[in-house]
Structures are given as C-alpha cells and as structure tokens.
Amino acid sequence: MKALRKEVTLLLAVLVFVASTLTAPAVHAVSASSSLILLYIDKSEAFVNKDQIHLDAPATIINGSTFVPAKFLGDTMGFKVEWNDATRTILMTPPGYSIVLDADHKTVTNNGVDIPFNSVAAIVNGKLLVKLTWLADYMGAKYTYNSELRRVEIVNFPTPEGVYMDQSGNSRPVAKFTTAKPTYRLGEPVKYLDLSYDPDAEGIVSYDWSGKQEVFFKAGKYPVSLTVKDRHGNVSKVFTSNVTVVDVPYLNEVEYPIYTKPVGGFIKSDWGTIWSHFNEMVPLPKKATEVPGRTLLVSDSPEEFTEKGILYRDNINGKARLYADHVNGTKQKMTMAIFATNNSDKPVTIKTTNKGEVYPSVYANLIGSEASVDFLLNNVYTDELTVPPHETYIYAKLPDFYPGQGVNLFYDVETDGEMQISFGVTDERLTPTTAQDLPLLGFTGHVRGTFPISEIKWDVDATSFTKTSVLTIGDNKTDPFVKGYDVMRKQNVENGGNYGVVYKIHADKPRKMAVMIMAKGGVFKGPFKINGEIIPVPASGVITAFDGMEVLARTTGTEDALDIEFTPPAGSAFPIDLIFYPLDEKK
C-alpha cells in the first residue's frame, strides 16, 4: 500500500510539472543578449534583468546545496525542459548535453552516463528543482550566492552558434562578455566582465574588441563586439552586446580622468579646458618657512663653458650643499672636478651625507631629472675626506664629458672647519695646483652664488577646501627666489628657479583629493617624492607648458598626513603648478 501511495505521489508530481510546462509564461523566453537572474531563497519573486517574475516553485536549500526551478531556468537560458509521456521522463538539453531525468527510477542520465537523482535533482511541491552548480556549469553561466540577502545571482549568456571542430579536432573558441551593471550613467566607468572560453581548455591568446570604451558621456545604446582567437589560430564568432547609458550625470569629461587616472597617469588636455577650469585657481593656504643651517653653493654660470677655468668658488664651514649644472661648450673632451682647499693651520674633514649624480649626457632634461631622483632618494653616505693644512684635494671628479654633453650634481656635505670649494673644468691632467692655476671664468647670465637657504618648508591646509586650489613653484611671486651673494662678482644675487633648493610640503589630515602637476613655464621633466615614494614626471619623455596634467597623489580623506618633497630639476622651465582637486564621494 505504501509503495502504491509513493507511485501515485510521483505521478502527480510529474503531472504537475507537465502542466507547469504547458502554461509557462513566455515572459522569460531566452534573450539574445545576456541575462541577470535573481532568485530569492524560499521566495516566489524572481527577476530577469528588470522584469519581475512570479515562480510557482522558489529556489531552496537542500542538504546545504542550492536548488533552483528547472523549467524557469530552461526558459530563461534558452534550453528545453520537457516531459516525455511515452518514457515518463523529463528531457533537458543545455547546449551540447542531453539530460534525462527519470523520477520513477530516481536516475539522471547525462549523455548516456548515469548519476544519482538525489545528487542533482529534487521534486518539491510537485516542481522539478535542480542543483544550481550542476546546471549552471553546463551553461557556462556565472553564479554567486549572496548570503546576506539570501539571493542567488546568475549571469547567463546565450551560447554562440557555430562552435565547430577543425580537421585536427580543435574547436573554435567562444567569445562572451557582459557588463557588471545593466545600465551606466553619463561618465560612469564601464566594467566589462570577460567570459570568453575555449572548449578545448587550451586558452585564448588574443582579443579583438570593437566599440569598447571605458566610459560614455552621451545617453544611448552602444554596441560592443568581441572576437577571440585560440593558439591554433581558430577565431570565434562575433559576440555583440549593448552598453546602455542612461541620461543621469555621474562625471563630466573634465572630471572623469581626474577621478579615475592612477598615480603617475597623464591627463592630456587642451588650452580651452585649462583656460576654463585651471587658469584662475584659488591659492592653497600655506605657511612658508626658510630653513636655515645649510649653505647652498650654486655653480650654473657660465652654464655652457667655452674654455677651462673656475666656474665658481667660495668658502664653507659646517653644513653645505654643492650644486652644479654645466654643459661642455668647447670642441674637446673636458674634465670637471670639485676641489677642496684647506687654507687653515689644522686639518679639516669634509663628510658627504647625501648626493645626486648623473653621467654626462646631451639631454639636459634627462640629467636634471636623474640627478634629482638620486638626491631625493636620500641614501645614506659616510664618505670622509681630510685635507691637511694649506693643501688642495680633489673632493669629486666627474667622468670626462665630450662637446655638447652636460652634467648635473648635488652634494650635501659637513665640514669641521672652514674649507674653500672650487668648481673647475680643464682639458689637462689634474694636479695639486690645478685649482690655483685655473683662471676665474666670467658670469654669463645664469645662476651663480652662495645662498643661506637650501630648504623651504610649506605647511599647507588641505583639510576642507572645496574649490580647485593651487601651489605655484618658481614664479618669484607666491614663491620668492632665495637671495644670496656672488663672491666672484661681489654682488647680491637671487637663485632664479631656486635650483638646488629642496621643497618640503606637508599637509595634516588632507581631505579626499587628487594632486596634479601642470607645467607653465616650458618643458619640464623631474621627480616628486610623495610620502617616501618617487613619482617621475612624466614616466618617459617630457611635458610641455599647458600640455596636460600628471597625477602625483591621491588621498582618501583618512590619511594622517601628506608629504611632498621636490627640488627644481636642471634643464626644466618654471613656474609649475601643483593642483589640488577636491574629490567627492561617488556612488
């Protein structure tokens, strides 16, 4: 009697399933494009893209696994789920498979291979449910379970037609993709999810996109196509889907790269954009402090020397920075050296604590940038040189450089007494008397002199500004040039461009923002040190005035501080702007 009751129950279940098959609504017929399917555990509401569907059999959890309604998924994903009255079985045909479910005998046959019925299927309240992971894998669908919402999320694509085997038995790969969202706003980054695959599992070697853009600024539907190729040269059929952009603002064309470009990314611009958005910016409040304690000797005139001689000479005592930038304007190979002369009656030691050096090159921007990188790295040096009384030693000798080549160098030193420093060039062999024998070279209009300041500190307030703000470096207005004295000409001078000076810019608790650099005076190439990390500007080549902006840093609004270190690189033109762009939270 129990066996008869069981058979009647199974028969009724099958009949209910058949009835649901015959009356299934057409609203979830297969779509030509991707489908986002949302199923809620033990709830009859479901969604296919934007359409809400009422299910007779909701998804449920059985023995820790998620089971989903077979007929609904078949209609939505585009494969048959039908009752065979003659065999009293249910046939499901995902692409490439023939699955027969026999409820009477509790078996499932997949392409002729039997598997236990209860492991992949169940009949609940007269409806056929199948194990999600089992069926979705056949379809190549992507699925996740959202435990917080108790929701099954399935992304499905119709299988491209025409997958074939070539003469060697290799199949054509399949191109598939979707977007992470069904619609995007104006200026919202589009996230493409690549779901392409090779049925032979040999991998895809190339992708060919058409119409793919990372962002759209006008509402509409934009067709995007993809073909892929496997390593045997087999090319997939074209897969096309639409990116739907709705008329809701997110970011405009000026804002978009500022919000999305990574640190080090360059934002190409034009004069119209710069004029309307980055010409009249609000100065970022700052407290400027000239840090005393290290004397700066700058040797840059003559910048291009045409004869041998002493380029600059002065005395130091204690902490000093030796800075030189010169080009060989002669017609022969020259040697450049820095001489240390002790004119006192006791030995004097000169210790090197930091340096920036570069090999001779004809590229002025390159040597200035590379020497600045070397110096800003702030490596630890412990070199010492002790010069006896009334003697001259060579402190540093640079590699020989040929006509047209230039050099740039920094040395931070400390002495325990007064010492005369001479920057000299010659085409002869260096001797103990070279520094005294060479003539003093004349001034030709570039920077030369001794300056009491080699470091400038800016404490800026970047906590709550709301408008695009700016710090300008090297304009001699908001950033005055350091004043000094040229002992060879015996006159007051200023360090035009503040070459050899290190800027230390500090902001406590900065707001969420992007920090960018824009060249204004001409060609620029040089590094910035942001929170201890060197950021080259640009990554390669140079940037020109008003050419665009490079992203130097981003803050989230949670940092304790932002620290920027910079020294004006030789060969670059000034002024430059540091642009501080406030970023709003975007959802």
Side-chain angles (χ1 to χ4, degrees):
M1 190 71 178
K2 290 183 179 178
L4 178 61
R5 186 181 298 112
K6 181 177 181 182
E7 289 181 4
V8 170
T9 301
L10 287 173
L11 177 59
L12 288 173
V14 170
L15 290 174
V16 172
F17 166 76
V18 173
S20 68
T21 301
L22 295 176
T23 60
V27 66
H28 33 270
V30 64
S31 169
S33 59
S34 61
S35 299
L36 175 62
I37 304 167
L38 303 178
L39 300 169
Y40 293 85
I41 300 300
D42 299 328
K43 291 186 177 181
S44 59
E45 289 78 22
F47 289 86
V48 178
N49 295 329
K50 293 182 178 180
D51 297 327
Q52 184 173 354
I53 309 297
H54 179 81
L55 301 176
D56 293 333
T60 191
I61 303 295
I62 301 176
N63 295 326
S65 297
T66 303
F67 282 70
V68 292
K71 178 57 180 170
F72 167 75
L73 288 187
D75 289 342
T76 304
M77 294 182 172
F79 62 88
K80 291 193 300 182
V81 179
E82 60 184 11
W83 167 255
N84 187 315
D85 190 56
T87 61
R88 293 176 50 81
T89 58
I90 301 165
L91 175 66
M92 298 197 312
T93 57
Y97 300 94
S98 177
I99 302 172
V100 179
L101 296 99
D102 188 336
D104 292 341
H105 299 93
K106 290 286 184 174
T107 62
V108 176
T109 304
N110 178 19
N111 288 352
V113 178
D114 291 337
I115 54 178
F117 184 91
N118 292 338
S119 67
V120 296
I123 293 179
V124 178
N125 297 327
K127 303 296 182 180
L128 175 64
L129 304 182
V130 293
K131 192 174 183 180
L132 171 63
T133 56
W134 175 67
L135 183 60
D137 286 344
Y138 287 134
M139 296 299 299
K142 304 296 180 180
Y143 52 86
T144 57
Y145 176 64
N146 188 322
S147 59
E148 183 178 356
L149 299 177
R150 301 192 77 229
R151 184 174 73 185
V152 179
E153 302 171 357
I154 307 170
V155 179
N156 176 62
F157 288 84
T159 301
E161 297 179 359
V163 176
Y164 68 92
M165 305 292 286
D166 63 18
Q167 293 181 351
S168 66
N170 189 259
S171 66
R172 175 187 292 183
V174 178
K176 278 188 178 183
F177 71 89
T178 187
T179 54
K181 298 171 56 176
T183 62
Y184 286 86
R185 292 166 287 178
L186 304 177
E188 182 177 10
V190 179
K191 184 178 180 181
Y192 297 89
L193 303 178
D194 173 37
L195 301 173
S196 304
Y197 64 92
D198 184 358
D200 302 306
E202 294 171 334
I204 294 170
V205 298
S206 66
Y207 292 75
D208 184 12
W209 293 88
S210 175
K212 181 183 180 184
Q213 294 180 209
E214 65 179 63
V215 65
F216 298 88
F217 295 102
K218 292 183 179 179
K221 289 191 174 183
Y222 296 88
V224 179
S225 298
L226 172 65
T227 58
V228 296
K229 182 187 295 185
D230 67 16
R231 64 185 182 90
H232 293 285
N234 294 318
V235 180
S236 70
K237 283 198 169 186
V238 177
F239 179 86
T240 300
S241 184
N242 288 324
V243 176
T244 301
V245 181
V246 295
D247 193 13
V248 177
Y250 183 74
L251 293 172
N252 62 41
E253 293 182 67
V254 174
E255 296 170 326
Y256 179 77
I258 298 174
Y259 273 81
T260 60
K261 282 282 186 180
V263 170
F266 188 75
I267 302 172
K268 185 72 177 176
S269 192
D270 55 51
W271 178 244
T273 299
I274 290 172
W275 179 264
S276 58
H277 293 86
F278 304 103
N279 190 44
E280 297 292 336
M281 292 177 286
V282 179
L284 193 68
K286 73 172 188 278
K287 176 185 176 183
T289 305
E290 292 185 339
V291 181
R294 185 179 295 277
T295 301
L296 172 64
L297 271 61
V298 177
S299 177
D300 192 30
S301 183
E303 182 180 67
E304 182 178 11
F305 58 85
T306 56
E307 57 183 318
K308 63 183 179 182
I310 297 299
L311 300 157
Y312 188 63
R313 171 181 288 163
D314 197 5
N315 294 336
I316 61 173
N317 194 342
K319 294 182 178 180
R321 177 170 301 151
L322 314 180
Y323 177 91
D325 180 47
H326 294 286
V327 177
N328 183 357
T330 72
K331 296 181 179 180
Q332 59 209 24
K333 179 178 68 175
M334 299 293 282
T335 297
M336 180 174 179
I338 300 176
F339 302 93
T341 301
N342 180 4
N343 291 318
S344 72
D345 295 327
K346 63 177 183 179
V348 175
T349 298
I350 181 171
K351 180 172 67 174
T352 303
T353 58
N354 190 18
K355 60 184 175 182
E357 300 172 314
V358 65
Y359 281 97
S361 171
V362 296
Y363 300 105
N365 296 110
L366 176 65
I367 63 174
S369 176
E370 292 303 314
S372 298
V373 168
D374 199 19
F375 189 75
L376 288 177
L377 286 173
N378 203 26
N379 294 317
V380 176
Y381 297 93
T382 57
D383 304 338
E384 291 189 2
L385 174 69
T386 299
V387 183
H390 307 291
E391 294 285 344
T392 297
Y393 280 9
I394 297 171
Y395 167 73
K397 177 181 178 296
L398 279 72
D400 293 337
F401 54 116
Y402 290 82
Q405 290 186 327
V407 293
N408 183 217
L409 57 87
F410 297 75
Y411 295 103
D412 271 1
V413 298
E414 297 179 11
T415 69
D416 58 2
E418 186 172 87
M419 185 170 288
Q420 185 186 74
I421 299 295
S422 303
F423 301 84
V425 288
T426 182
D427 58 349
E428 299 177 355
R429 184 174 63 88
L430 299 180
T431 70
T433 63
T434 297
Q436 285 69 39
D437 296 340
L438 288 173
L440 302 180
L441 298 181
F443 177 77
T444 59
H446 291 268
V447 179
R448 187 176 77 181
T450 303
F451 303 89
I453 299 299
S454 60
E455 180 180 319
I456 295 174
K457 183 180 179 183
W458 287 352
D459 290 299
V460 300
D461 182 2
T463 57
S464 58
F465 67 98
T466 57
K467 295 182 178 180
T468 306
S469 302
V470 65
L471 292 175
T472 299
I473 297 177
D475 65 347
N476 203 23
K477 295 176 182 177
T478 61
D479 177 29
F481 295 149
V482 175
K483 303 296 189 295
Y485 187 75
D486 181 349
V487 297
M488 290 174 61
R489 286 192 295 153
K490 295 182 173 55
Q491 69 179 64
N492 295 325
V493 294
E494 63 181 14
N495 186 356
N498 282 345
Y499 293 101
V501 174
V502 171
Y503 289 77
K504 293 188 176 180
I505 303 169
H506 177 81
D508 284 322
K509 299 192 178 302
R511 61 155 295 160
K512 184 176 183 178
M513 63 182 176
V515 183
M516 301 171 289
I517 172 181
M518 181 171 66
K520 293 177 66 178
V523 173
F524 180 88
K525 181 179 181 65
F528 286 78
K529 190 175 182 180
I530 311 292
N531 289 342
E533 179 181 353
I534 296 293
I535 306 295
V537 179
S540 63
V542 298
I543 58 175
T544 57
F546 305 105
D547 187 34
M549 300 165 289
E550 177 165 330
V551 180
L552 292 177
R554 290 185 180 280
T555 57
T556 63
T558 62
E559 294 87 355
D560 289 332
L562 172 68
D563 286 289
I564 302 173
E565 291 184 48
F566 173 73
T567 185
S572 289
F574 286 84
I576 60 172
D577 278 347
L578 294 186
I579 299 171
F580 296 77
Y581 194 96
L583 300 177
D584 297 324
E585 294 293 339
K586 294 291 181 180
K587 297 180 180 179

